């Protein structure tokens, strides 16, 4: 099939290359000319394991091209809209400027019988409104909503082997489902669960899923707060409740909490939309989910102050990890970077290291110091904070690593280190929600 992908940021670039991998003829349309040129040259503008290879393969096959002009989308049977929906400045609501702009310029080249597929995360009600725009401008064209559930760090795998397909389609019309089945033929053939529904449900599936994940993380972090108050151990608690299949152990890792370009803004946009719909009470609990999450960052700074004998002034702190999670260079609302910056602003000298995110950090927080390795960051440090659990940091040898620091104090912000090994090597170990040796 001929496919266009409008918006080649994280989601769109991975989607475009993946669709080419599935055998389709794909054009990626990206208004940022520099980004379009980079992608066309096989250069990835972000860090994502496996994406470089996928992009190279798709470009070499001749099935994937990029353009900065919407006219390049003309003639495709299916057009995926993959532009961003960031949080509005100073408000909780999502900013739909890019989605609306993409659809407005797409309808100029759209033909009857073609399908527009929204993949961006949007407030419920957006698809119905955009469908009207599409049908009014191009009678006979169709719109579907097909949310995306990919995780950064696993984006290629999640796109090529999703755990479910969700199609929001117009009632009583089977054409959109048939076209999407053709696009995803290999995925459908692999017996991937598929839910075909209305627009509103499809839109809500996405925000409900992210809200549930955020709630699960904040639940365990609330338990961590209680563990700190009682001397109980949140990691053992998570293991024990996680053995219950109905609860499950995944997304029960207590620590610094969630960040990134999705969970925080999605729960806020969901609350804002519920308010507009007069159903705000239904989601007031998400405000608490957000609060619990933000409190972890403050607690981490306090814990650092506590282990540094009550003052951050003039202390040297090594921060391991700055990306919002491992296997990513994304620093959007990164809990790690937030803590690093707070420590610095409160008088500590902070040296940050991250296997992928340092360049992005330098642009956003030039006043922090940066190092290329954990050892370099930790040289002469009064305390070491693990804030993003990259495997490079989890596998540090605490005995060797202990030789470079001034004080063997480690704060495990992600409950990711082997506590016994670190303590055996003479480190004082502290973590959120865990007992401490005293
Ligand atoms: C999230 C969802 O997991 C995807 O399904 C969704 O498609 C995506 O948002 C999106 O809306 O596009 P992602 O933002 O890549 O994916 O990150 P997650 O893996 O969900 O992690 C989010 C944050 O939660 C990270 O900061 C991570 O460190 C934190 N986290 C995760 C915890 O603090 N504890 C856990 O147990 C798990």
């Amino acid at each position: 099939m001929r496919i266009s992908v409008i918006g080649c940021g994280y989601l769109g670039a991975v989607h475009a290359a993946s669709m080419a991998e599935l055998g389709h003829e794909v054009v990626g349309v990206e208004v940022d000319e520099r980004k379009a040129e980079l992608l066309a040259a096989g250069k990835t503008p972000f860090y994502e394991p496996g994406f470089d290879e996928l992009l190279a393969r798709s470009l070499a096959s001749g099935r994937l091209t990029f353009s900065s002009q919407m006219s390049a989308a003309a003639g495709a049977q299916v057009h995926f809209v993959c532009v961003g929906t960031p949080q509005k400045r100073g408000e909780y609501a999502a900013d739909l400027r890019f989605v609306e702009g993409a659809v407005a310029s797409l309808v100029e080249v759209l033909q009857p019988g073609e399908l527009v597929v929204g993949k961006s995360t949007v407030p419920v009600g957006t698809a119905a409104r955009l469908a009207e725009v599409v049908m009014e401008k191009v009678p006979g064209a169709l719109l579907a909503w097909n949310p995306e559930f990919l995780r950064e760090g696993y984006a290629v795998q999640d796109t090529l082997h999703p755990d479910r397909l969700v199609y929001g389609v117009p009632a009583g019309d089977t054409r959109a489902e048939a076209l999407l089945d053709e696009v995803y033929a290999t995925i459908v053939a692999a017996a991937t669960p598929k839910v075909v529904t209305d627009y509103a449900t499809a839109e809500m599936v996405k925000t409900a899923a992210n809200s549930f994940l955020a709630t699960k993380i904040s639940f365990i972090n609330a338990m961590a707060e209680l563990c700190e108050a009682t001397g109980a151990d949140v990691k053992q608690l998570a293991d024990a409740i996680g053995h219950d299949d109905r609860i499950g152990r995944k997304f029960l890792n207590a620590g610094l909490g969630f960040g990134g370009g999705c969970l925080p803004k999605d729960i806020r946009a969901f609350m804002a939309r519920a308010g507009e719909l007069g159903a705000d009470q239904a989601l007031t609990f998400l405000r608490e989910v957000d609060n619990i999450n933000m409190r972890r960052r403050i607690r981490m700074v306090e814990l650092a102050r506590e282990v540094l004998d009550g003052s951050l002034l003039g202390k040297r702190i090594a921060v391991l990890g700055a990306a919002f999670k491992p296997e990513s260079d994304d620093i959007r609302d990164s809990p790690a970077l937030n803590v690093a910056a707070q420590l610095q602003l409160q008088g500590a000298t902070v040296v940050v290291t991250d296997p992928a995110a340092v360049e992005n950090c330098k642009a956003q927080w030039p006043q922090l110091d940066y190092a290329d390795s954990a050892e370099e960051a930790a040289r002469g440090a009064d305390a070491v904070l693990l804030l993003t659990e990259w495997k490079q940091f989890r596998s540090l040898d605490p005995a060797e690593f202990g030789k470079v620091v001034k004080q063997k104090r480690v704060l495990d912000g992600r409950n990711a280190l082997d506590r016994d090994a670190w303590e055996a090597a003479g480190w004082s170990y502290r973590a959120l929600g865990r007992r401490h040796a005293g």
Side-chain angles (χ1 to χ4, degrees):
M1 293 176 94
R2 288 192 61 192
I3 288 177
S4 83
V5 175
I6 318 300
C8 294
Y10 204 88
L11 165 62
V14 175
H15 193 68
S18 299
M19 293 304 102
E21 177 91 344
L22 293 180
H24 303 300
E25 294 278 331
V26 183
V27 59
V29 178
E30 169 54 56
V31 283
D32 179 340
E33 265 178 53
R34 198 192 62 94
K35 210 185 267 177
E37 277 166 21
L38 274 178
L39 286 163
K43 298 198 179 96
T44 311
F46 47 78
Y47 176 90
E48 179 62 38
F51 182 67
D52 285 350
E53 296 82 350
L54 174 71
L55 180 64
R57 267 199 313 277
S58 300
L59 289 169
S61 73
R63 288 193 299 272
L64 178 63
T65 54
F66 290 94
S67 170
S68 57
Q69 303 301 320
M70 188 60 86
S71 54
Q77 289 161 275
V78 179
H79 306 268
F80 286 98
V81 175
C82 295
V83 294
T85 50
Q87 186 176 336
K88 273 189 190 163
R89 211 174 261 274
E91 279 181 58
Y92 270 13
D95 186 346
L96 294 178
R97 231 177 327 162
F98 305 112
V99 175
E100 280 159 1
V103 171
S105 72
L106 179 60
V107 290
E108 300 300 324
V109 301
L110 194 67
Q111 294 296 318
E114 293 175 2
L115 174 67
V116 179
V117 184
K119 287 198 88 63
S120 310
T121 302
V122 290
V124 57
T126 306
R129 197 158 42 77
L130 294 176
E132 278 174 22
V133 173
V134 166
M135 284 179 312
E136 192 194 309
K137 282 273 189 187
V138 191
L142 292 163
L143 181 129
W145 216 262
N146 169 222
E148 176 58 58
F149 306 103
L150 68 80
R151 297 159 297 169
E152 296 192 14
Y154 301 90
V156 173
Q157 158 79 16
D158 286 351
T159 306
L160 292 172
H161 307 281
D163 51 15
R164 77 282 211 192
L165 291 168
V166 177
Y167 305 168
V169 296
D173 190 329
T174 54
R175 288 174 301 164
E177 181 183 353
L179 280 167
L180 282 169
D181 277 351
E182 205 179 327
V183 171
Y184 296 130
T186 45
I187 297 170
V188 173
T192 307
K194 185 176 94 176
V195 178
V196 182
T197 182
D198 51 82
Y199 292 145
T201 308
E203 292 166 314
M204 268 192 65
V205 167
K206 172 66 193 231
T207 33
N210 276 0
S211 298
F212 190 85
L213 294 171
T215 304
K216 206 171 173 190
I217 298 168
S218 277
F219 172 82
I220 200 64
N221 283 331
M223 295 304 110
E225 289 188 6
L226 273 173
C227 286
E228 283 159 24
T230 60
D233 186 289
V234 75
K235 201 166 180 179
Q236 287 184 315
L237 177 88
D239 289 343
I241 63 173
H243 285 305
D244 183 334
D245 280 351
R246 294 170 304 172
I247 296 173
R249 181 64 177 82
K250 289 182 184 160
F251 269 64
L252 275 188
N253 293 322
L256 256 192
F258 59 82
C262 302
L263 264 45
K265 75 141 170 87
D266 287 355
I267 61 170
R268 293 173 193 154
F270 204 17
M271 285 186 267
R273 186 66 184 134
E276 288 168 6
L277 293 166
D280 43 342
Q281 272 191 335
L283 297 186
T284 40
F285 75 96
L286 285 179
R287 203 174 307 150
E288 201 45 42
V289 165
D290 204 356
N291 278 332
I292 294 167
N293 192 52
M294 300 310 274
R295 275 208 299 273
R296 294 287 76 189
R297 303 176 185 188
I298 297 166
R299 173 70 187 127
M300 194 68 207
V301 174
E302 288 315 313
L303 192 59
R305 194 192 319 277
E306 195 180 311
V307 304
L308 288 164
D309 309 318
S311 172
L312 294 168
L313 284 177
K315 301 287 167 50
R316 199 176 163 84
I317 299 179
V319 164
L320 309 187
F324 85 105
K325 69 174 193 181
E327 302 299 337
S328 171
D329 64 352
D330 196 341
I331 54 166
R332 285 176 294 170
D333 200 4
S334 165
L337 194 55
N338 182 303
V339 167
Q342 286 189 62
L343 292 167
Q344 172 96 1
L345 291 169
Q346 293 182 36
T349 300
V350 180
V351 189
V352 178
T353 186
D354 187 283
V358 165
E359 287 312 310
N360 288 342
C361 293
K362 279 182 182 164
Q364 198 173 318
W365 279 99
Q367 61 275 59
L368 290 166
D369 290 321
Y370 295 96
D372 290 333
S373 68
E375 288 76 11
E376 201 188 311
R379 197 154 293 132
D382 296 295
V384 175
L385 271 59
L386 175 84
L387 301 185
T388 310
E389 70 278 29
W390 285 89
K391 62 179 175 307
Q392 290 89 325
F393 303 146
R394 281 188 279 126
S395 60
L396 281 170
D397 174 353
E400 276 304 305
F401 192 56
K403 293 179 184 161
V404 301
V405 297
K406 186 160 142 209
Q407 301 274 356
K408 287 202 231 173
R409 297 177 180 133
V410 64
L411 272 68
D412 184 356
R414 291 289 180 184
N415 279 309
L417 299 174
D418 178 347
R419 173 181 193 154
D420 292 342
W422 283 72
E423 284 182 343
W427 288 77
S428 99
Y429 175 95
R430 293 294 301 270
L432 298 171
R434 311 284 298 280
R435 269 186 298 274
H436 65 97

